Amino acid sequence: MNLRASDAMFFDAGYIRVFEDVRGKNGSNGAYINERPLIGPLNRTKVDHSTDAYDTIDWLVKNLENSNGRVGIMGGSYDGMMAAMALVNPHPALKAAVPMNPVINTWKGDDDFHGGAFRQIGYDYYYTQDAAKGEAGDLWRDAYDDYDTFLRAGSASAFVKSRGLEQLPFVNRLHDHPTYDAFWQGQALETILPKQPQTVQTLWVASQWDQEDIYGAVAAYEAVSKVDPNHVNHLALGPWAHGGANGDGSTLGAIRFDSDTALWFRKNVLLPFLNGALKTGGSPAPLAPRHRVPDRHQSVADPSRLAERVRYAETLFPARQRPRHHRPRAGRPRRLYLRPREADPLPPPPDPPDLRDRLDVAAMAGRRSAPLLRSHRRPDLPDAAADQPGRDRRRARRRPDRQHHRHRWRFRSEADRRLPRRIFRQARDGRLPTRRLDGHFARPLPR
C-alpha cells in the first residue's frame, strides 16, 4: 500500500503502523453499515465500531512481536469517528487516541447535515461507499453544474429515484429522519462519550476551515472536558481545511503562510503527545499551560505567525488565572483591541477626532464659554507651512486641519467652523471666558 508522507515520522520514531479497513469494506469481512450505531436500540447486533476496535487491539497485543503492549488509534473524518468510538468501553491497552475531524453528530454539523440543512452533494459519497465493497465511483450528472443538476431533478427525493439510490439503506434513513429525532440523538457521541470514564489520553484535532466535519472535534472535547478530572483530553485547532493536519499546511487556498503549519503540528504537538502516551517509560507531554497567549514579540496581526504556533485550547483565561484587566464588567461584552507586537489586550482606542470634538453649542452658549483659541498645530498632521512664516497660507484658511493664521487659531473640526463667528470674535476680544475642558478644545457631546 502507498503511505502518506506524513507517516514517515512515525516510522522514524520506531512505531509499528497497522492499517485496518472498516467492517465490510475492501479487505475486511462482514456487512458494511454506513455510520453503524453503537450496540443498543439502534443496533440489535452484537458488533459495532467499539467492539471491532477492542477485538483488534486485543489481537495485536497478543500476536504482534516487538510491541510494548501500548496501543494508540488515529483516524480522520469517518475514521476519526471510529477512533472516537474506540473510547467507548476502551481496551486496557489503549493508551492514546487521536480523532481528527471526526464525525460526532452527523445531523448537527458533520457530513450529512450542516445545522439541519441536508447536503445533497453527499449522495456521491453514499453511492461510493455503499454501492460496492470497494469504490463504486461517482454518480453521473446530466448537467455541468451541480446546481443545475439538482434544480432539474426538482427535489432530493426525485434525484434519489432518478439514480436508483433508494436501494441504499443509508439513503433511506436520511430520507426517513430529516429532523433531529431519536434516531440522530441516539448516535450523538458528544452525549455518549461523557458517560464513559475518561482514562485514555485523547487529542481532538479540529480544522478552522473544515468544510465537512467542523462540528465534531470541538463539540466532543467540550462535552468530555466537563467530566475529565485528570485532564486526559486535549484540543488542537489548526488553520486547515478538512484533514489538513495530515497534508501540506503551508497554504490555505490562496493564503500562503511562512511555514508548513501542519508539519509543525505533527512534529511539535502530535508526535510528543504520542511519545508521552505510548513510549515505554513515557509520561504525558506538557502540551500547553492552562492558558497561553502569543509571545510578546510576535506580531498578532500576521495570521501566518499565529498559524505557525498551533496550540492546544484547554480554556482561555480561566477566571482564577485571568489578570484583572482581562475581566469584563458583569453583563457587558468584552472587546479586545490588539496591535502588532503587543500580546495583551489594550484599552479601547479613542474615538475619531470628528466625533470627540463635536461641540455642544447650546450648552456652551448658555454658560458663556467658548473654545480655547490655540496657535499651535497638531503634531500628527504635517504642515510645512506652519514652520515657514514667509509662505502664503491663504489656501489653508478654511481648512479644518490647518491653522488660521490671520487670527492665530486653528479650527479643530468642521463643528468649530459651524459655530457663529460672533462667539469667536467675543472670545478673541476677551469678552467671554475661555477655558479648556477635559483636555479638549471644547466640551464633547454627552456619551
Side-chain angles (χ1 to χ4, degrees), residues 360-369 443:
D360 188 351
V361 179
M364 184 179 64
R367 291 190 303 272
R368 296 188 62 78
S369 61
R443 182 175 182 273

Side-chain angles (χ1 to χ4, degrees), residues 15-80:
Y15 284 102
I16 303 172
R17 293 280 276 159
V18 178
F19 297 86
E20 183 180 33
D21 290 322
V22 66
R23 174 183 290 268
K25 291 292 293 183
N26 299 313
S28 291
N29 295 324
Y32 173 72
I33 298 178
N34 200 330
E35 299 183 20
R36 181 192 292 263
L38 292 167
I39 297 174
L42 301 176
N43 180 4
R44 297 297 183 180
T45 68
K46 296 182 179 181
V47 294
D48 57 25
H49 293 320
S50 175
T51 61
D52 286 347
Y54 191 103
D55 294 341
T56 301
I57 295 172
D58 191 66
W59 187 92
L60 289 174
V61 297
K62 293 178 179 178
N63 296 276
L64 197 62
E65 297 180 359
N66 302 321
S67 170
N68 64 357
R70 304 170 72 90
V71 179
I73 185 170
M74 293 175 54
S77 193
Y78 192 109
D79 298 340

